[in-house]
Amino acid sequence: MWDDAFPSFLIGLREGLEAGLIVSILVATLVRADAKSRLPQVWTGVLAAVALAMSFGAVLTFTAASLSATAQEAFGGSLSVIAVAFVTAMVFWMRRSARRLSGEIKEKVTGALAMGAGMLIITSFLAVGREGLETALFLWTTARAAGESTGPMIGAAIGLVLAAALCWGLYRRVLKINLTRFFTATGVVLIVIAAGVLGYGLRDLQEGGVLPGGTAYAVDLGGSIDAGSWYSTLVQGVFNLTPTMTWLQVVAYALYLVVVMTLFVRGVRGDRTPAARRGSAPKPAKGAGTEPAAGARRRPAWLVPAAVVAVPAVLAGLIVALSGAGPAGSQTVAVSETECGKGFTAPEPGRQTFRMHNTGDRTSEVYLVDPATDAVYGEIEGLAPGTTRDLVATVAGGSYAWRCVPTGGRTVTSRAIRVSGAAGATAVVPVSESDLTGPLKTYEAYVDRGLAVLVTQTRGLSDDIASGHLDAARTDWLTAHRTYSSLGAAYGTFEDFDKKINGRADGLPGGVADPDFTGFHRIEYGLWHGQSARQLKAPARQLADAAAGLRTAFPTQHFDPGDLPLRAHEILENTLQFELTGDTDQGSDTELATADANLAGTRELLTVLRPLLTSRAPRLLPTVDADIARLQQLLDAAHHGGSWTPVDRLDATARARLNGATGQLLEDLAPVPDLLEIRKSAR
């Protein structure tokens, strides 16, 4: 939280000091002009500026809440870029204006005094309002980048309080600050922070589909840097630099930092020249603080301040109300094994939060569905008895109902509720076992062909070892092991055969010498640790027999259709855990060859699932395909003829990129199990 607070603290301190200095100069000018009776007009303008800034922040928050996830990314990214532009302009303006700020404000106040109360209010409002709007925009942007608002708000509050204390000290002449140096130093830090905000905003625009290059990564340290560590959190919170950044982010960050910092430093040096230091601020004209003529009609003292402060808040409320931007009101919906959806009433279109309360005795899954098509708009898994959880969904014109699936009970569906308005809410069409029948048969045929090849290859491996041709056996071992590794989605059906074919020594009392250590890794250990053909003959024959037994048993084994979507993520999850750490290696240094085979198996699985995924998430597969191509390119770079670079001999950059590419692919594959989950329906 404190890492996220620093940028907001700095902007609160700097913007607060700017606004505070302006207010101090306004007050001091009026006091010296014997016009203390006009001070309420200054405070009216200041309060109006504060109300405008808070209203602006509310509009941003409620507007973003009403948008879809993609639109939120585009909206937030656009505002981040705008915030960078404002902060940059503010940094340069204050650098140039720090010395002559007092004279300029005094001149404006003198003119406003001569023109009446309205102009003095407008002068103070405009002077403070700009700082307020910049602060609101930058705080909203930094809070969104941090993913939480507590840290940024605390940081801004501390900065504003400190700025107020400094301004009071300057006004009372008990404190001296070299304002030029202060604004120069904070300007340098803010330029660095703004560069990170620019990079974050561009990433949002890429994820929102506004800008291209979302999968073209220039920096990929996700596999070697712990994103939850204190140093990673510090860098991300303060500078908005993440372990994974696209080329667009990196180039924009570098260009902004180099160009803006160069111009800023040159400007600072120019301000230090004798010519820049010459000149003096004009003195305020005397007599400007005249009071209203006697007998003039006076308005109630509270009327103008109340009206000016209320107008921004009222306008913000109207904008939110007319645009439907507020997060829709919540309603509590009861769930039980006998009744589902009690308390459900027709909601207003927009983003809704439903409080789902389980009043029954069984844990239940809850779905918001279209009763005509069974399409799912939102779901909660494992809602325990007596508990309440929020379900957030976007509602548009159409029919909606609640479907409750209690553990061990029958499915219960509520009555349908019709919501008026245009259609447009995104729903996921449920998958049935029949939908997965075709892909399952296609994949079973692929596995069957692979097992036939495996039987031939393991027999050849066994014959090589029996004949004493250990060099040929090493080559044949890798070929056969890659064939088996490419069948990853079927491991759940292999039952005990997988342990016999690809078991590990972990947990065995005798380790690699244990009699129960069999299969590919047992032979790998022997081939690369100098064991003789006589020692390996029996394990090789056992492996060939196990492969043949699996080939015979596979057509009769149950292959759960739900395993296909799950394996789309799990194959590479295991790759990241075992192969890319070198954990499974028994001496052959071929972990990356196995990872390559696992990737081939994942690609084959996605091929059979492609029609179902395309109809449910058309933008997912292009991203996944780009991730796969990127990972394949990194694996190919480690393949040299008939050999593979061992994982522990990769340089730090190559290993980090490989881990990062695998992690990114896993992240993009994560929605597949939910998209293709077989859900119970009322039919």
Side-chain angles (χ1 to χ4, degrees):
M1 181 182 70
W2 299 112
D3 304 311
D4 298 326
F6 178 74
S8 298
F9 163 76
L10 188 61
I11 200 71
L13 174 61
R14 184 183 170 104
E15 295 277 17
L17 189 56
E18 286 186 34
L21 286 172
I22 294 171
V23 173
S24 298
I25 294 170
L26 287 170
V27 172
T29 303
L30 291 175
V31 170
R32 292 173 186 174
D34 294 326
K36 291 183 179 181
S37 61
R38 308 289 290 276
L39 288 177
Q41 297 163 12
V42 174
W43 298 120
T44 298
V46 171
L47 289 175
V50 173
L52 177 64
M54 296 179 66
S55 300
F56 180 54
V59 170
L60 292 179
T61 302
F62 285 112
T63 299
S66 68
L67 300 174
S68 64
T70 302
Q72 284 186 38
E73 299 291 350
F75 180 72
S78 301
L79 290 181
S80 295
V81 175
I82 294 172
V84 170
F86 277 134
V87 169
T88 305
M90 173 265 293
V91 166
F92 280 90
W93 179 82
M94 202 58 195
R95 177 187 58 76
R96 293 192 302 268
S97 305
R99 288 191 178 92
R100 60 179 186 270
L101 181 65
S102 178
E104 290 181 356
I105 295 299
K106 289 177 181 177
E107 185 177 1
K108 292 180 181 179
V109 174
T110 300
L113 284 171
M115 297 179 68
M119 283 305 301
L120 190 56
I121 291 174
I122 292 174
T123 299
S124 59
F125 173 77
L126 294 177
V128 179
R130 189 190 69 171
E131 269 53 63
L133 291 176
E134 288 175 352
T135 302
L137 179 58
F138 198 82
L139 285 180
W140 186 88
T141 302
T142 53
R144 189 175 185 279
E148 54 98 14
S149 58
T150 303
M153 292 303 294
I154 291 177
I158 295 174
L160 290 171
V161 170
L162 181 57
L166 292 175
C167 289
W168 181 87
L170 290 171
Y171 176 76
R172 303 297 298 179
R173 298 183 180 181
V174 297
L175 184 66
K176 291 184 179 181
I177 297 176
N178 188 322
L179 294 176
T180 302
R181 290 183 179 179
F182 172 83
F183 285 116
T184 298
T186 56
V188 169
V189 179
L190 273 178
I191 288 172
V192 176
I193 292 175
V197 173
L198 176 62
Y200 175 84
L202 293 177
R203 179 56 176 165
D204 274 354
L205 291 175
Q206 288 179 317
E207 293 180 348
V210 177
L211 295 177
T215 58
Y217 296 98
V219 178
D220 194 348
L221 303 177
S224 58
I225 293 180
D226 181 8
S229 63
W230 68 267
Y231 56 85
S232 181
T233 304
L234 178 65
V235 172
Q236 292 183 59
V238 175
F239 302 110
N240 274 307
L241 294 177
T242 58
T244 303
M245 297 181 69
T246 64
W247 278 107
L248 179 61
Q249 287 180 278
V250 172
V251 171
Y253 180 91
L255 283 178
Y256 175 89
L257 201 57
V258 170
V259 173
V260 175
M261 191 68 77
T262 300
L263 293 175
F264 185 78
V265 171
R266 285 181 179 177
V268 170
R269 290 175 179 173
D271 290 343
R272 292 174 181 168
T273 62
R277 291 194 292 267
R278 287 196 294 268
S280 59
K283 296 181 179 180
K286 294 183 179 180
T290 56
E291 295 298 319
R297 185 176 181 180
R298 302 177 63 90
R299 291 184 295 269
W302 56 268
L303 182 60
V304 173
V308 174
V309 172
V311 166
V314 172
L315 289 177
L318 288 175
I319 292 173
V320 171
L322 294 176
S323 64
S330 302
Q331 54 177 282
T332 301
V333 181
V335 174
S336 73
E337 56 268 30
T338 59
E339 189 174 20
C340 184
K342 184 178 180 181
F344 181 42
T345 58
E348 294 294 326
R351 192 172 177 83
Q352 295 279 347
T353 300
F354 300 98
R355 292 190 297 270
M356 310 306 299
H357 179 59
N358 191 340
T359 59
D361 299 323
R362 298 181 181 182
T363 299
S364 181
E365 295 182 1
V366 185
Y367 305 98
L368 179 62
V369 302
D370 180 342
T373 63
D374 284 342
V376 178
Y377 293 94
E379 68 176 286
I380 291 179
E381 295 184 358
L383 183 62
T387 61
T388 301
R389 283 162 58 188
D390 287 345
L391 185 150
V392 180
T394 299
V395 176
S399 294
Y400 297 85
W402 291 103
R403 179 159 297 150
C404 305
V405 187
T407 301
R410 65 181 183 86
T411 299
V412 182
T413 303
S414 73
R415 64 184 181 88
I417 295 291
R418 183 73 187 177
V419 176
S420 59
T426 302
V428 177
V429 179
V431 173
S432 65
E433 289 195 20
S434 62
D435 292 326
L436 285 169
T437 298
L440 182 61
K441 288 183 178 179
T442 302
Y443 193 80
E444 284 179 329
Y446 162 77
V447 174
D448 191 61
R449 292 192 300 271
L451 290 177
V453 173
L454 180 67
V455 169
T456 301
Q457 291 173 341
T458 52
R459 285 175 180 169
L461 172 62
S462 179
D463 291 342
D464 286 338
I465 291 176
S467 302
H469 300 150
L470 297 187
D471 287 338
R474 293 185 183 93
T475 301
D476 289 346
W477 176 89
L478 179 58
T479 302
H481 190 242
R482 281 170 53 83
T483 297
Y484 185 75
S485 298
S486 67
L487 310 178
Y491 290 165
T493 69
F494 290 171
E495 299 176 351
D496 292 339
F497 285 106
D498 183 57
K499 183 178 179 181
K500 296 176 182 178
I501 294 173
N502 208 39
R504 300 169 60 193
D506 297 354
L508 296 176
V512 294
D514 197 285
D516 290 334
F517 181 34
T518 60
F520 277 112
H521 292 301
R522 166 66 183 92
I523 297 172
E524 177 189 10
Y525 179 83
L527 286 173
W528 275 273
H529 283 83
Q531 290 188 351
S532 65
R534 181 181 59 81
Q535 292 173 292
L536 294 173
K537 183 177 180 180
R541 187 170 58 250
Q542 291 174 349
L543 173 61
D545 291 343
L550 176 59
R551 170 75 175 85
T552 302
F554 179 70
T556 63
Q557 292 176 326
H558 174 65
F559 200 144
D560 187 347
D563 281 353
L564 288 180
L566 290 174
R567 299 294 184 263
H569 184 270
E570 288 181 356
I571 296 173
L572 290 176
E573 193 174 55
N574 290 335
T575 301
L576 187 63
Q577 180 180 359
F578 299 119
E579 275 72 36
L580 296 188
T581 59
D583 188 56
T584 57
D585 179 63
Q586 294 296 330
S588 68
D589 290 333
T590 59
E591 308 98 318
L592 296 186
T594 304
D596 182 72
N598 289 340
L599 183 62
T602 301
R603 187 185 291 109
E604 180 67 28
L605 178 58
L606 291 173
T607 298
V608 302
L609 295 176
R610 185 170 292 270
L612 293 175
L613 290 172
T614 300
S615 62
R616 287 162 175 80
R619 297 180 59 182
L620 174 65
L621 284 176
T623 301
V624 169
D625 289 341
D627 291 343
I628 290 177
R630 175 174 168 234
L631 179 55
Q632 186 66 66
Q633 185 178 17
L634 293 172
L635 290 172
D636 290 343
H639 188 199
H640 313 285
S643 64
W644 293 77
T645 303
V647 168
D648 59 2
R649 294 181 197 169
L650 290 170
D651 62 70
T653 301
R655 189 165 187 176
R657 286 178 177 173
L658 188 61
N659 289 333
T662 307
Q664 184 62 51
L665 178 53
L666 280 171
E667 182 178 336
D668 291 332
L669 285 173
V672 172
D674 288 334
L675 288 170
L676 302 184
E677 179 185 1
I678 299 176
R679 295 183 173 91
K680 296 180 181 181
S681 68
R683 298 177 190 148

